[in-house]
Amino acid sequence: MANSLLHIDKHVSYIQSLDTRKDRLDYHLTSHLRLSGVYWGLTALHLLNHPTALPRDATIEFVKSCQHPNGGFGASPGHDAHILYTLSAIQILATVDALGSVSKTNVVSYVAGLQDKDTGCFAGDEWGEMDTRFIYCALSTLSLLGELKNPAIDVPKAISYILQCLNPDGGFGMAPSAESHAGQIFTCVGALVIAGVLKEEMSPDQIDLLGDWLCERQLPNGGLNGRPEKLEDVCYSWWVLSSLAMIEKLHWIDRDKLVEFILSCQDDEQGGIADRKGDMADVFHTVFGVAGLSLLGYEGLKEVDPVYCMPKEITESVLNGYKLV
Ligand SMILES: [Zn+2]
């Protein structure tokens, strides 16, 4: 079989071009994803070793313009705040070393206000939808801000909610007794790692069972799906692999077949990576494809942090900075 390569330069130009396509319909159709789109593009560029390919000052200004008076961030200026975009904002600012440009107190009080005092779970926004994904967003945001020990947040209660979502098949769902799903597993395992309790709360047998469930996501074509009976999709190269990395079972997957699958989903002409071969590339699948390759040790890429989905050297430097204080 032909050995294809990662088109680093094409992916860099593809991501740079996203910002200049304001005349195109898809720009407007995706305005609800804008802040996360910047996070995906910026992270991909860092992992591709082109950290300065987006203008830093304009990036910081855009992030600040998305902050809502309640302290959270919306997808675009004037949009309602949501915890997903709040995490994207903090990830972007951490990546460009500009966390000091927003008020930490306001962000923390927004995040703290989303926690349900009875269950410990977090809502995504003021409308109250609860989901284990939002616990991850909250803990990741607070951790990047060095505020995990803030008394306004009940981390042990959030962790006890996550453990209620652990299923007998080894996976985690979005709520107690909800079906296991690879995306939810990433967020639940990530929350346990951020809180520093993974090995305390999961036995070696539970971790092995989870590892088995994750490895069963690999299909004969090398790609990974998000749950049984579903099609392969490049973004699961991230949700599944990062979970395997966090439980130290990354070597359980067939690396070469997965690398080949991700590379086959590239747009060989325009750059960008699609969910699967032949589909249209988008920045979401581009970053998760590149991040997956990084976890697999693909040559020429910066190392990604499986917990935060950011360049590891950046998360290490941010988190070490808090330890010194
Ligand atoms: Zn996908």
Side-chain angles (χ1 to χ4, degrees):
M1 208 171 282
N3 240 345
S4 45
L5 287 172
L6 183 66
H7 305 306
I8 292 186
D9 291 342
K10 283 181 180 167
H11 297 323
V12 170
S13 350
Y14 166 76
I15 293 164
Q16 286 176 314
S17 76
L18 293 171
D19 193 42
T20 56
R21 293 185 179 179
K22 292 188 179 157
D23 55 322
R24 287 178 39 162
L25 183 63
D26 54 359
Y27 180 92
H28 298 284
L29 290 177
T30 59
S31 72
H32 62 291
L33 296 175
R34 192 71 12 97
L35 190 54
S36 295
V38 173
Y39 155 67
W40 298 326
L42 181 72
T43 302
L45 290 170
H46 274 260
L47 298 178
L48 292 163
N49 276 304
H50 284 69
T52 57
L54 289 183
R56 180 176 183 272
D57 289 350
T59 302
I60 297 170
E61 280 317 302
F62 176 70
V63 172
K64 285 166 72 176
S65 73
C66 295
Q67 192 169 25
H68 193 273
N70 66 11
F73 290 78
S76 303
H79 282 218
D80 286 341
H82 194 287
I83 198 155
L84 289 171
Y85 304 118
T86 303
L87 172 58
S88 294
I90 298 306
Q91 287 170 314
I92 296 167
L93 294 177
T95 301
V96 300
D97 192 18
L99 280 173
S101 62
V102 290
S103 155
K104 198 189 260 196
T105 318
N106 290 351
V107 180
V108 172
S109 93
Y110 171 74
V111 174
L114 294 172
Q115 188 171 26
D116 182 283
K117 301 295 173 247
D118 294 329
T119 63
C121 194
F122 282 79
D125 59 20
E126 57 185 314
W127 315 113
E129 185 202 355
M130 299 276 168
D131 188 323
T132 45
R133 279 184 302 158
F134 306 143
I135 298 181
Y136 169 82
C137 293
L139 298 193
S140 185
T141 301
L142 295 169
S143 167
L144 290 169
L145 291 171
E147 292 288 327
L148 215 45
K149 294 202 166 83
N150 192 302
I153 318 285
D154 191 341
V155 174
K157 205 154 201 177
I159 294 304
S160 79
Y161 186 85
I162 296 231
L163 295 169
Q164 291 168 41
C165 301
L166 180 58
N167 288 321
D169 65 8
F172 290 87
M174 64 175 284
S177 39
E179 170 189 28
S180 295
H181 182 285
Q184 304 292 344
I185 291 172
F186 163 77
T187 61
C188 290
V189 174
L192 294 173
V193 173
I194 290 173
V197 298
L198 177 73
K199 289 196 172 146
E200 210 171 288
E201 299 292 356
M202 287 184 75
S203 69
D205 285 349
Q206 286 174 316
I207 289 184
D208 282 354
L209 193 61
L210 173 60
D212 284 339
W213 191 94
L214 290 164
C215 287
E216 284 163 14
R217 305 282 59 78
Q218 191 161 33
L219 300 173
N221 61 17
L224 306 174
N225 64 12
R227 56 204 155 113
E229 315 295 329
K230 297 286 173 186
L231 284 175
E232 71 285 357
D233 181 329
V234 160
C235 62
Y236 290 104
S237 308
W238 173 255
W239 313 116
V240 173
L241 276 186
S242 58
S243 302
L244 284 168
M246 288 189 274
I247 61 170
E248 296 165 24
K249 309 285 184 208
L250 198 53
H251 55 287
W252 285 12
I253 212 92
D254 186 331
R255 178 194 179 275
D256 293 348
K257 281 183 88 169
L258 181 54
V259 167
E260 196 165 330
F261 168 74
I262 298 173
L263 294 176
S264 77
C265 299
Q266 299 181 100
D267 182 327
D268 296 329
E269 265 125 59
Q270 305 292 320
I273 301 176
D275 57 351
R276 64 185 67 92
K277 195 175 175 161
D279 284 354
M280 183 138 105
D282 61 73
V283 66
F284 177 85
H285 290 95
T286 302
V287 67
F288 292 123
V290 171
L293 290 172
S294 164
L295 277 183
L296 295 169
Y298 192 89
E299 205 182 321
L301 295 178
K302 274 250 167 11
E303 194 182 346
V304 68
D305 187 323
V307 183
Y308 294 92
C309 196
M310 291 167 55
K312 197 163 191 180
E313 61 183 19
I314 290 177
T315 54
E316 278 177 353
S317 124
V318 168
L319 300 178
N320 284 336
Y322 298 129
K323 279 185 205 148
L324 299 174
V325 179

